[in-house]
Amino acid sequence: MSVLEPVLIQCPYCWETLEISVDPSVAEQEYVEDCQVCCQPILLTIRLDDRLVPSVEARAGND
């Protein structure tokens, strides 16, 4: 059982800082999540390094 890891990102639309939850059991992930503030679609690309530390790229979902 894996515990979701909280990660802070910045919305590419409204620039607000948001907290998302990352599943550390999946090494590479890509999905769309709506901004909790402005409701715009954010494309999240998540990669975990060898120590399971997530690296998150947040870009506009309509790019």
Side-chain angles (χ1 to χ4, degrees), residues 7-63:
V7 176
L8 294 177
I9 63 165
Q10 187 174 49
C11 175
Y13 299 98
C14 68
W15 306 109
E16 287 290 327
T17 300
L18 310 169
E19 184 177 288
I20 62 166
S21 296
V22 173
D23 182 353
S25 69
V26 182
E28 291 189 21
Q29 308 167 50
E30 186 170 272
Y31 61 93
V32 174
E33 187 167 315
D34 289 342
C35 175
Q36 301 156 7
V37 177
C38 70
C39 300
Q40 294 293 318
I42 304 169
L43 179 60
L44 299 169
T45 303
I46 302 162
R47 291 182 179 83
L48 300 175
D49 67 13
D50 294 339
R51 296 176 307 162
L52 301 179
V53 176
S55 166
V56 180
E57 178 185 357
R59 14 184 239 281
N62 57 8
D63 281 351

